[in-house]
Amino acid sequence: MSAEAIRVSRVRRVYDIGAGGSLTALDDVDLTVAPGTFVSVIGPSGCGKSTLLRVIAGLETPDGGEVRIKDATPDQAARAKMLGLVPQTPALLPWLSVLKNVSLPLKVNRDAGRRRRAEAGHDGPDMVELLRKAGLADVMHKLPSQISGGMQQRAAIVRAFGLHPDVLLMDEPFSALDEFTREALQEQLLDLWDELKATVLFVTHSVTEAVRLSDRIVVMAPRPGWITDVLDIDLPRPRGQAILKTPEFHHYEDLVRDALRGAFHARVA
Ligand code: ADP
Ligand code: MG
């Protein structure tokens, strides 16, 4: 029995790029994520963040090494609805209302949903209540096209939490949003995470976002994609707006920026 929510061991992913060429997107990546923790992955474009998430989600098979979600393979975990994935752009069905969109996975996976909620020892989130918490009460009967991008992404996050996954994988979910919307959504995400106790692996480009959200930050560098640093963020929670201005917060931002700078130069030097 593994104590880890996610265990990535010596994972390699090599893409065939034609003409006999290949590109190593992930090289010997080791990563463990403890249950109930919030871990962010940060690094420049092309360092393999999305590839890492896809491999963990079971959407791609690694060319070496292995991934375990608790004790299951990614395929088993996906089938058991232990995994939730929030992509960069909210994939809502345009012909369904916000409420129907977020309720759909629960309907489609009625059995898995029931089992997951039973295991969790409670009824699981009430979608209307979750929408209210996410500030979407007034728009839940609207179509996705009738609400803003920030609201659509909020709906996608509510939907992902709805199945009460053990592990939630999020690939730059806020990157298309303006800074104010982003800060508000960070706070709502932290509230949901706190309430539903999922393990979150969150990809971001933003140092501030990573520090605010995370218990731990994993720094990656490209060519080939590898993990250069793992930093623990020992800041108190809850982390409201006020924490963004504290010296402790800035200290962690500086640490992450230094790690990113070091990572960038590591293989160039
Ligand atoms: P990130 O999310 O950190 O920006 P990605 O995981 O998307 O990085 O990509 C890592 C590297 O792998 C990049 O060089 C990218 O061009 C390459 N890559 C990603 N997916 C494919 C694919 N399906 N075929 C070929 N190369 C790919
Ligand atoms: Mg990416």
Side-chain angles (χ1 to χ4, degrees):
M1 178 86 189
S2 159
E4 307 293 350
I6 305 173
R7 181 180 289 279
V8 174
S9 314
R10 301 177 315 281
V11 160
R12 228 176 119 67
R13 181 73 180 110
V14 181
Y15 291 115
D16 182 350
I17 52 170
S22 66
L23 186 152
T24 305
L26 295 174
D27 186 27
D28 211 17
V29 169
D30 281 309
L31 171 68
T32 55
V33 179
T37 59
F38 199 120
V39 175
S40 290
V41 179
I42 195 167
S45 263
C47 69
K49 304 182 296 294
S50 295
T51 304
L52 178 61
L53 241 57
R54 287 198 301 271
V55 166
I56 293 172
L59 300 173
E60 284 186 33
T61 310
D63 297 288
E66 62 174 29
V67 175
R68 287 291 176 272
I69 311 296
K70 299 228 168 142
D71 288 316
T73 64
D75 273 352
Q76 292 165 339
R79 271 198 301 273
K81 305 295 165 200
M82 292 161 67
L83 281 171
L85 182 65
V86 178
Q88 197 162 341
T89 46
L92 302 174
L93 297 173
W95 58 87
L96 290 182
S97 72
V98 169
L99 178 59
K100 287 198 170 129
N101 258 290
V102 301
S103 307
L104 189 67
L106 285 173
K107 292 215 169 69
V108 172
N109 302 292
R110 213 176 285 270
D111 291 342
R114 222 189 331 258
R115 194 166 60 243
R116 303 232 30 77
R117 290 193 292 279
E119 279 169 16
H122 60 75
D123 269 355
D126 167 350
M127 298 318 276
V128 172
E129 184 54 32
L130 276 191
L131 286 171
R132 189 164 294 133
K133 283 209 177 97
L136 296 171
D138 293 342
V139 301
M140 65 184 162
H141 300 299
K142 295 199 171 186
L143 296 174
S145 61
Q146 296 172 311
I147 63 176
S148 69
M151 286 182 170
Q152 290 179 28
Q153 194 55 283
R154 257 183 270 175
I157 291 167
V158 166
R159 180 178 57 182
F161 273 107
L163 268 177
H164 204 93
D166 294 275
V167 170
L168 195 52
L169 306 170
M170 307 180 87
D171 196 354
E172 303 194 40
F174 303 151
S175 62
L177 307 174
D178 65 76
E179 199 165 334
F180 302 105
T181 309
R182 204 176 170 131
E183 282 183 8
L185 261 62
Q186 288 164 4
E187 198 145 355
Q188 282 165 351
L189 172 60
L190 286 177
D191 285 347
L192 283 173
W193 169 70
D194 186 46
E195 183 174 340
L196 299 172
K197 314 285 178 221
T199 306
V200 177
L201 189 61
F202 185 97
V203 170
T204 180
H205 267 114
S206 159
V207 172
T208 305
E209 182 165 276
V211 172
R212 181 174 190 190
L213 296 175
S214 313
D215 296 312
R216 179 171 277 191
I217 299 177
V218 174
V219 180
M220 288 184 72
R223 286 181 292 278
W226 63 301
I227 292 174
T228 60
D229 282 281
V230 176
L231 304 167
D232 286 321
I233 308 301
D234 195 8
L235 290 170
R237 295 185 187 270
R239 298 182 189 164
Q241 297 284 354
I243 202 166
L244 300 173
K245 292 185 183 165
T246 62
E248 293 76 17
F249 194 90
H250 295 314
H251 161 75
Y252 280 112
E253 284 183 312
D254 288 343
L255 279 184
V256 176
R257 286 205 182 91
D258 287 346
L260 280 167
R261 232 169 270 131
F264 191 76
H265 294 296
R267 294 226 169 153
V268 180

